[in-house]
Amino acid sequence: MSRVVASITLTQGVAEHLRSLIHRGEVGPGDRLPPERVLAEQLGVARMSLRDAIKILQDDGYVEARRGAGGGTFVTELQRPVETWRARMREQVGEFDDIIDYRIALEAHTARLAAARRTQSDLAALRAAIKSLGRGRGVAAFRQADSRFHDALARSAGNARLQTAIHSARGELFTPHDFLMHEGPVEQSRQDHQAIYVAIREGDPDAAESLMRTHIERTRLQLREIVFGRDDSA
Amino acid sequence: MSRVVASITLTQGVAEHLRSLIHRGEVGPGDRLPPERVLAEQLGVARMSLRDAIKILQDDGYVEARRGAGGGTFVTELQRPVETWRARMREQVGEFDDIIDYRIALEAHTARLAAARRTQSDLAALRAAIKSLGRGRGVAAFRQADSRFHDALARSAGNARLQTAIHSARGELFTPHDFLMHEGPVEQSRQDHQAIYVAIREGDPDAAESLMRTHIERTRLQLREIVFGRDDSA
DNA sequence: GGTATAAGATCTGAACCCTGTACCTTTGCT
DNA sequence: AGCAAAGGTACAGGGTTCAGATCTTATACC
């Protein structure tokens, strides 16, 4: 019987939402958020609540605000947030692997469902996401393209709960800048996505699930190396 | 860009928490909740907030309050809530299957992890849960024993995110009273649990995952029959 | 260079939510 | 009869959220 019921404020909720968008790469360095009045309207919250949320992200170094015409709220280069995230992952042992395991649970089965249910337009969205991983340079572009693919896949499965949970799990991760030190990971990722796409197009649930699992396990290793250092000591 | 950020009140959160406990069978018909002052303390909320939550459950027919010494807040026979739930599942097409698919994603992988990580005390908890499915009669006893098993399993995987998500998904389902019309389902469930237990004890992730998947698929069919009627028309 | 404009920054008051504390009422038990 | 253990009520203070008005700053354009 009984466990604590946490109560987070609207402001915190909005801050987490925006932070997740940035972590997932849906908005990246240099991008401008919509004007406060507009964004508040879109999110369905009062402008004050949104401002408080933005204040939190400002303090954490995610965004900075510029006044005047042509001003707005801009995403920073994210160096400080990335370092903070990396430090947290190093401290809270097991947290990193828990998030990855959670992702595997959700996304492997999602890939399975997608293979059975995808429509033609789902396939088109997946193809587009793979294509954009080829173009663009830099972490920001990678984050975004990667996010697009996994999001398109979640959509294809047609299950709102899975999609929400996947967003939440992915929003807890954060690809550091030095992910692209070598060209390897990006190309590897592209190949993984391509293989998953084929399995889904061919309607092969077992392959889709298995490939997704392998893909995320590979991500685990690559990220782990960057976060914890090559041989665990540093 | 942008999606709505919902803000639920503490009261609603507490109500959902308690509703989930009842749906999962952790407390059943006739059980008494802890005294308001105690429960409020345990949950970390003000007594008023808890009372408002209980008020909601009262209006929905989940609990009823009796005053005086030896009084308290008691779980009802749950007939009305079950009917309400069944009606909602019939109306919101796809909702039922989405919850089940979500459970499969979470619990199949959880079983896999559990097979690799379970400790001796995890195994003992699983055995105890299986045993209690053999005893007890009635839906309430079934709900509870079933819940105990799946909960013990989630614990064995040692991943807080998975455990929370599984609770949330299971809390959205509700085993109706006529689940026990025939003796079949309960015995079937017991055998499924037993087989999953063996796979986990033997440290066989593939078997554990596959058996869990099959088990929940079976649950889907049995529940569907009860919720939607035998041949889909009715 | 001045001015219109598009932003962020501030302020206010009403409504609601949550908390803590005190007190009332009912009812079973000794 | 009286005590104790419950739920039921009341209220004041503080925090959140909202809607709206107003102020300030910086750019872009004439």
Side-chain angles (χ1 to χ4, degrees), chain B residues 9-11 37 45-49 67-69:
Chain B
T9 68
L10 222 210
T11 296
R37 302 166 224 250
V45 303
R47 191 176 158 213
M48 264 311 198
S49 308
R67 310 223 280 191

Side-chain angles (χ1 to χ4, degrees), chain A residues 9-11 37 44-49 67-70:
Chain A
T9 66
L10 222 208
T11 296
R37 303 167 223 252
V45 304
R47 193 178 157 210
M48 266 311 222
S49 309
R67 311 223 280 189

Side-chain angles (χ1 to χ4, degrees), chain A:
Chain A
M1 201 34 277
S2 77
R3 184 163 307 122
V4 195
V5 178
S7 93
I8 67 163
T9 66
L10 222 208
T11 296
Q12 289 170 312
V14 172
E16 281 317 306
H17 172 74
L18 296 175
R19 196 197 307 272
S20 175
L21 286 179
I22 295 175
H23 278 204
R24 305 205 306 268
E26 297 204 15
V27 293
D31 287 357
R32 197 188 73 172
L33 301 185
E36 289 177 351
R37 303 167 223 252
V38 176
L39 185 50
E41 166 87 41
Q42 286 177 346
L43 296 175
V45 304
R47 193 178 157 210
M48 266 311 222
S49 309
L50 171 61
R51 276 184 61 74
D52 289 346
I54 288 177
K55 181 67 169 44
I56 293 174
L57 296 187
Q58 249 174 342
D59 291 346
D60 290 351
Y62 282 91
V63 299
E64 52 194 16
R66 289 204 284 280
R67 311 223 280 189
T73 307
F74 296 83
V75 178
T76 68
E77 288 302 316
L78 299 176
Q79 277 137 3
R80 186 148 64 85
V82 165
E83 277 319 309
T84 306
W85 178 79
R86 195 200 299 245
R88 205 162 57 79
M89 286 299 120
R90 280 168 180 265
E91 274 166 34
Q92 300 188 1
V93 184
E95 196 73 353
F96 175 78
D97 281 305
D98 278 2
I99 300 171
I100 299 280
D101 284 332
Y102 188 42
R103 273 194 62 189
I104 292 175
L106 295 167
E107 300 204 60
H109 191 63
T110 296
R112 166 177 288 273
L113 294 177
R117 302 179 182 171
R118 85 286 181 288
T119 65
Q120 284 306 315
S121 72
D122 289 331
L123 290 176
L126 288 168
R127 274 197 305 275
I130 292 174
K131 217 172 187 178
S132 67
L133 228 184
R135 293 195 302 273
R137 298 240 145 235
V139 224
F142 173 81
R143 277 197 205 105
Q144 186 172 58
D146 189 52
S147 194
R148 288 276 160 78
F149 178 80
H150 288 269
D151 189 43
L153 199 136
R155 261 179 233 286
S156 312
N159 184 317
R161 283 174 187 76
L162 280 170
Q163 206 183 327
T164 304
I166 288 171
H167 274 168
S168 139
R170 292 180 56 83
E172 288 195 72
L173 292 174
F174 204 174
T175 308
H177 13 287
D178 37 6
F179 185 71
L180 304 175
M181 296 247 296
H182 337 287
E183 188 60 28
V186 178
E187 176 53 23
Q188 178 65 260
S189 218
R190 214 193 57 74
Q191 284 177 18
D192 284 357
H193 287 189
Q194 177 65 32
I196 293 169
Y197 166 74
V198 171
I200 286 174
R201 187 191 63 203
E202 301 301 318
D204 184 342
D206 288 334
E209 171 170 3
S210 156
L211 287 167
M212 177 61 87
R213 193 188 300 270
T214 308
H215 170 54
I216 301 182
E217 284 293 0
R218 221 188 315 268
T219 302
R220 187 207 301 267
L221 295 181
Q222 289 163 347
L223 270 182
R224 182 186 284 160
E225 204 171 85
I226 295 172
V227 173
F228 297 101
R230 200 156 297 259
D231 45 32
D232 206 35
S233 56

Side-chain angles (χ1 to χ4, degrees), chain B residues 144-189:
Chain B
Q144 187 173 56
D146 189 53
S147 195
R148 289 275 159 80
F149 179 81
H150 287 269
D151 191 40
L153 200 135
R155 263 179 230 285
S156 312
N159 185 314
R161 283 174 186 75
L162 280 171
Q163 207 183 328
T164 305
I166 288 171
H167 274 168
S168 140
R170 292 180 56 83
E172 289 196 73
L173 293 175
F174 205 173
T175 309
H177 11 286
D178 38 7
F179 185 70
L180 304 175
M181 296 249 295
H182 338 287
E183 189 60 25
V186 177
E187 177 52 23
Q188 178 66 259
S189 217

